[in-house]
Amino acid sequence: MQFKIGQKVSLLYEKGEGIILNLEKNRALVSDDSGFDRWFPFNELVYIHSEKYADDEMTIPKEDTEPETTFRVFQERTGTKKTRTVWEIDLHIEEILESIQGMSNTEILMKQMAEFRAMFKKAKNQSVYKLIVIHGVGEGVLKNAIRTYLSQQDQVEVYDADFLEYGKGATAIEFHPNW
């Protein structure tokens, strides 16, 4: 997506929104709703398509809720003929919700991240070996949000999932409780 001067945006990693005042190569100067002008990388901004909602009307599941998404469980064989449990979750919004009519991009992202966090926590608690997260390619906003969350977690190894099977749109997470 191309950002434009005067465009209203929401901040991805903090509460608030603002108006783009200036653009450089990979970042935008945003006048936030507190009156401060700050630079943000493009991947930390979300274009606001609609303002037909109020923050207090949004119902986003908490991290400790069960994910609504269906997921696939399979076994992966190692070279020593051992099998390890692998979970796969598809975070494409049409896999999570029947309809997104009236939802903003921010609301969609928040829903996808809530599903991801719930599945991550469940996989970690159940000692799953690997979690494959299908996030798609798109603008990279969901992938960046997932990778930022994972960078704050202990005992996990994060890398791009198998290209031949998933293309560029998936992240693999291995859990290493003994690290």
Side-chain angles (χ1 to χ4, degrees), residues 148-168:
T148 298
Y149 175 85
L150 291 170
S151 71
Q152 300 165 1
Q153 304 304 311
D154 294 327
Q155 302 174 324
V156 294
E157 181 181 357
V158 179
Y159 52 91
D160 291 335
D162 181 35
F163 180 80
L164 294 176
E165 189 168 352
Y166 299 100
K168 294 181 180 179

Side-chain angles (χ1 to χ4, degrees), residues 134-149:
I134 302 170
H135 44 66
V137 180
E139 298 287 328
V141 176
L142 179 58
K143 177 181 179 178
N144 288 338
I146 289 168
R147 297 280 178 112
T148 298
Y149 175 85

Side-chain angles (χ1 to χ4, degrees), residues 16-147:
E17 54 189 42
I19 304 290
I20 295 178
L21 301 177
N22 196 0
L23 298 167
E24 285 187 359
K25 186 176 179 185
N26 292 316
R27 64 184 191 151
L29 180 64
V30 176
S31 176
D32 66 24
D33 46 11
S34 301
F36 292 98
D37 297 346
R38 302 184 314 170
W39 288 97
F40 291 92
F42 289 153
N43 64 358
E44 292 183 12
L45 300 174
V46 178
Y47 173 67
I48 298 177
H49 289 281
S50 169
E51 295 185 54
K52 298 178 183 176
Y53 67 93
D55 285 343
D56 57 351
E57 294 174 1
M58 294 179 4
T59 54
I60 305 297
K62 295 179 183 171
E63 243 180 82
D64 58 349
T65 60
E66 284 291 310
E68 297 174 21
T69 315
T70 57
F71 62 98
R72 186 171 76 112
V73 177
F74 58 95
Q75 299 294 316
E76 178 181 89
R77 288 199 179 275
T78 67
T80 60
K81 297 183 182 179
K82 280 177 77 175
T83 59
R84 301 181 291 203
T85 304
V86 178
W87 288 5
E88 177 185 280
I89 180 174
D90 190 342
L91 292 179
H92 285 93
I93 196 64
E94 59 272 8
E95 297 294 326
I96 300 170
L97 299 174
E98 289 184 24
S99 171
I100 59 168
Q101 187 172 356
M103 290 180 74
S104 70
N105 286 349
T106 303
E107 290 172 303
I108 291 169
L109 178 64
M110 289 173 67
K111 178 64 177 169
Q112 290 170 309
M113 284 303 295
E115 290 294 310
F116 164 70
R117 287 189 305 268
M119 183 60 69
F120 176 86
K121 185 176 182 179
K122 186 174 182 177
K124 190 172 186 176
N125 289 341
Q126 293 191 21
S127 301
V128 169
Y129 170 70
K130 185 188 295 183
L131 175 63
I132 305 288
V133 181
I134 302 170
H135 44 66
V137 180
E139 298 287 328
V141 176
L142 179 58
K143 177 181 179 178
N144 288 338
I146 289 168
R147 297 280 178 112

